[in-house]
Amino acid sequence: MIIATAGHVDHGKTSLVRALTGIDTDRLAEEKRRGMSIDLGFAYADFGLAQAIGFVDVPGHERFVRNMLAGVGSVDSALIVVAADDGPMPQTLEHVAILDTLGIVSAVVALTKIDRVDPDRVTQVGAEVQALLANTGMQQAAMFPVVASTGEGCEALRAHLVDLARARDRRLSAGLDGLQHSPQGYFRLSVDRAFLLPGAGIVVSGAVQSGKVEVGDQVLISPGGIEARIRSLHAQNQPAQAAFAGQRCALNLVGAGLGKDSVGRGDWIVSPPLHAPTRHLDVRVKLLAGEPLLKDGAMVQVHLSAASVAARIGLLQSKSLAAGQQAWARLVLDQPLAALRGDRFVLRDQAAQRTLGGGRVIDPFGPERGRAKPARLLELEAMSCDDAPQALQQLLALRPDGLDLASFARSWNLDDQQQAHLRKGPGLRIVRIKGADLAVSESSWNALGVEILDTVATHHQQHKDRTGLAESELLAGVPPSRREIRRAAARALLDTGQLVRDGMMIRLPDHQAVLTQKDQIMLERIQAKLQGTGLRPPIVGELATVLDVDPAALLVILQAFSQRGYLAAVASNRFYLPETIAKLVQIARDLADESPATGFDAAAFRDRSGIGRNSTIQVLEFLDRQGFTRFARNRRWMADPDDRSGN
């Protein structure tokens, strides 16, 4: 368990930690000289437990609130220190507001310096503190009068901290929520200190927010993206092979790209799947009571764990936010953060002199456009649900075209086991599109299938002389955002036999095109001549000579048969049988399978097919247009490696 102190300057936070643990957390020479904490201090004590409790001692002076925020962003509990002679002071109030904004509910109050006042004053201050906490999540905090210099009351306080630690462990073992740190998910550590250790190199310390890490693991420094390996580690100030969520941890990092400026306070050390820096945070924000209106577009300081970043706040439903009120907002950051859904943050004014409020990250990867549209606000409501499977179901009800499962899992920090559980959710369909998994509700997927079948049936009624309709026609008029899911649904219908592929066309199984006798005779003549020409049919002029037909008239006929699906117009003067196109697609697929990383070039296709350079270029460009292949950097890959419908 990790406990952070909180309270006004000179109320005895450091002295109390020393009385509880025997450790002086003031480590800087200036702190010793001034008798005042400036930066974070750390202490550990086991109190008879199997694992030590970690203390983060924060400065109480208003000038060092930024340092205080770096220390309380990733803790389990708070030790609120109030001197009995002064009572609650300005930084007491601000620190309590910060703790409440960060969602801290586990807290204990120490009334210090009780030897300097009479019992009535202790009672009065206790009542004032209770009133201060009454409207926060810490209203159940126990209170202990103490004298740090003599140890009076410290034993009772120690025993209570032990009870808090045991209660946390019970909740952890039972898998209950309400914890600041999650044992599940990928590893994530918030860096609050980084330094060079002679003989070891770079060492970072901070709280493990989620998951676990072991010696030898590969990690990334985020948002910078620098790779590193864990050479050794300490957990709760003890050498260890592994560290877990809820522990303070020191990591000795090694890596080819590491330097003294590679990592610092505010960075995260994460498992590689979590590295996804963002500059846009869609959040639920609350303005503290007593604050003036917060206007849309205002510049603020965002404190998220140990990071501090300037940002502009965009309110999504109004032009201003009143004191005590909540709203949806987007934070546009001056520099990227390694934030995830559920992260708590604190807002301070641009000059960093006053705490304004704060809230919780709901979507760290929000869309660039449409952020304030009603549909988007409904999505944010769905994403605010704290149960990932339930939130996914609610989102899919709002997104009939589905959502990227990997992005959702990363946003929620779902590890492999959690993702496997998510995939088994009721009424959920996972669709593989271009190497990525798309989650779609079963009802939306079925409705899309019915819509496609109706479209094909209507086309058959209106065009009885056509074999079917091309996939491009099936996607005509569909917004770009819907094309891939619609294409995947059509191919699923092909796999189940509800649709069939007839050459380059798609049709219902029972559809038969009806041609006039004249057209039927001409088509059979053309097909007979083309079937004997292999993979390189003649141009229109050559075919016209063989058929003894005027070239201009034949071109009109060939174009008509191409539109109906009986032929494929690869070039303006060269037409292919659908079965010939299928063979050429297979050649392309074979080449792509042989070189999945690098793809294939035109020369390889020419050599494999034997159709010559000019015909190769025509065929490959046709395959690009039809969506079979993808062209980039003078090489080609199959547009969808998972699709075999071109065979």
Side-chain angles (χ1 to χ4, degrees), residues 396-417:
L396 294 180
L398 300 170
R399 292 187 185 182
D401 298 326
L403 58 84
D404 182 77
L405 199 58
S407 179
F408 180 87
R410 182 186 298 115
S411 174
W412 282 74
N413 188 10
L414 303 180
D415 58 28
D416 293 344
Q417 183 178 355

Side-chain angles (χ1 to χ4, degrees), residues 257-274:
L258 281 179
K260 64 178 183 179
D261 298 323
S262 297
V263 60
R265 176 174 289 178
D267 288 331
W268 290 83
I269 310 299
V270 300
S271 295
L274 286 189

Side-chain angles (χ1 to χ4, degrees), residues 1-41:
M1 186 171 78
I2 307 171
I3 300 173
T5 63
H8 199 76
V9 63
D10 200 34
H11 276 204
K13 296 184 294 298
T14 302
S15 297
L16 180 58
V17 171
R18 184 168 57 245
L20 291 170
T21 67
I23 298 172
D24 185 0
T25 57
D26 282 346
R27 53 188 172 80
L28 303 177
E30 187 177 356
E31 291 176 319
K32 302 288 189 183
R33 181 176 59 81
R34 297 172 64 176
M36 179 179 70
S37 297
I38 295 173
D39 203 354
L40 304 177

Side-chain angles (χ1 to χ4, degrees), residues 331-562:
L331 297 174
V332 182
L333 310 171
D334 276 4
Q335 58 190 44
L337 276 181
L340 295 181
R341 185 220 169 269
D343 284 350
R344 295 275 184 167
F345 64 90
V346 172
L347 294 183
R348 304 197 84 218
D349 68 310
Q350 187 176 8
Q353 295 179 339
R354 195 174 75 253
T355 297
L356 305 176
R360 192 168 63 140
V361 176
I362 301 300
D363 188 356
F365 312 118
E368 290 287 340
R369 298 180 179 179
R371 63 187 184 186
K373 290 184 176 180
R376 175 58 183 166
L377 297 178
L378 289 175
E379 289 182 357
L380 290 175
E381 289 283 0
M383 296 175 73
S384 64
C385 172
D386 287 329
D387 180 77
Q390 184 177 344
L392 179 62
Q393 294 286 348
Q394 293 179 17
L395 268 177
L396 294 180
L398 300 170
R399 292 187 185 182
D401 298 326
L403 58 84
D404 182 77
L405 199 58
S407 179
F408 180 87
R410 182 186 298 115
S411 174
W412 282 74
N413 188 10
L414 303 180
D415 58 28
D416 293 344
Q417 183 178 355
Q418 292 171 301
Q419 291 184 47
H421 174 71
L422 190 72
R423 290 168 177 267
K424 297 176 182 177
L428 185 66
R429 171 69 67 101
I430 306 300
V431 183
R432 190 78 170 170
I433 297 179
K434 292 189 174 180
D437 286 342
L438 196 74
V440 188
S441 72
E442 197 74 44
S443 59
S444 295
W445 179 257
N446 292 337
L448 182 56
V450 170
E451 178 188 334
I452 291 171
L453 292 174
D454 288 345
T455 299
V456 176
T458 300
H459 183 274
H460 290 337
Q461 292 174 356
Q462 297 173 347
H463 304 280
K464 298 182 184 299
D465 61 344
R466 293 187 59 177
T467 60
L469 73 168
E471 189 174 278
S472 58
E473 293 178 288
L474 194 59
L475 301 176
V478 177
S481 61
R482 295 200 63 200
R483 287 175 189 165
E484 291 304 329
I485 184 65
R486 189 176 176 90
R487 180 182 283 115
R491 292 177 178 178
L493 293 171
L494 287 166
D495 290 341
T496 59
Q498 293 172 270
L499 290 176
V500 296
R501 191 178 291 278
D502 191 344
M504 299 297 296
M505 298 296 182
I506 294 172
R507 62 174 174 81
L508 295 175
D510 59 355
H511 172 70
Q512 292 293 328
V514 179
L515 292 176
T516 65
Q517 185 177 13
K518 179 181 177 182
D519 285 346
Q520 185 66 44
I521 293 172
M522 178 55 73
L523 176 61
E524 290 174 356
R525 290 184 66 198
I526 293 171
Q527 289 173 332
K529 296 302 180 182
L530 292 180
Q531 284 169 355
T533 59
L535 298 179
R536 188 176 181 272
I539 61 174
V540 172
E542 295 170 345
L543 185 61
T545 299
V546 173
L547 294 172
D548 193 21
V549 178
D550 177 71
L554 179 60
L555 179 60
V556 173
I557 294 170
L558 293 171
Q559 289 172 340
F561 283 144
S562 174

Side-chain angles (χ1 to χ4, degrees), residues 627-642:
F628 289 110
T629 52
R630 174 173 56 87
F631 178 71
R633 304 183 301 279
N634 292 320
R635 302 190 73 81
R636 282 178 171 82
W637 293 260
M638 299 311 293
D640 188 348
D642 298 318

Side-chain angles (χ1 to χ4, degrees), residues 280-285 294 296 312-317 321 326-332 345 347 360 362-363 371 377 380:
H280 294 157
L281 302 178
D282 286 344
V283 302
R284 187 68 174 171
V285 64
L294 180 63
D296 178 42
R312 185 179 300 278
I313 186 168
L315 299 174
L316 303 185
Q317 294 172 285
L321 181 62
Q326 297 188 52
W328 296 114
R330 168 163 289 186
L331 297 174
V332 182
F345 64 90
L347 294 183
R360 192 168 63 140
I362 301 300
D363 188 356
R371 63 187 184 186
L377 297 178
L380 290 175

Side-chain angles (χ1 to χ4, degrees), residues 573-628:
N573 67 340
R574 201 184 297 271
F575 292 78
Y576 286 63
L577 293 171
E579 53 265 35
T580 305
I581 294 297
K583 293 176 182 178
L584 293 168
V585 170
Q586 186 59 52
I587 292 173
R589 191 178 306 285
D590 291 342
L591 290 170
D593 289 345
E594 292 168 12
S595 303
T598 60
F600 65 93
D601 59 14
F605 188 89
R606 177 202 62 203
D607 294 343
R608 184 70 60 88
S609 65
I611 62 176
R613 182 182 181 280
N614 290 339
S615 292
T616 290
I617 299 303
Q618 290 176 344
V619 167
L620 290 177
E621 290 180 349
F622 173 80
L623 297 184
D624 292 341
R625 293 195 301 272
Q626 295 298 314
F628 289 110

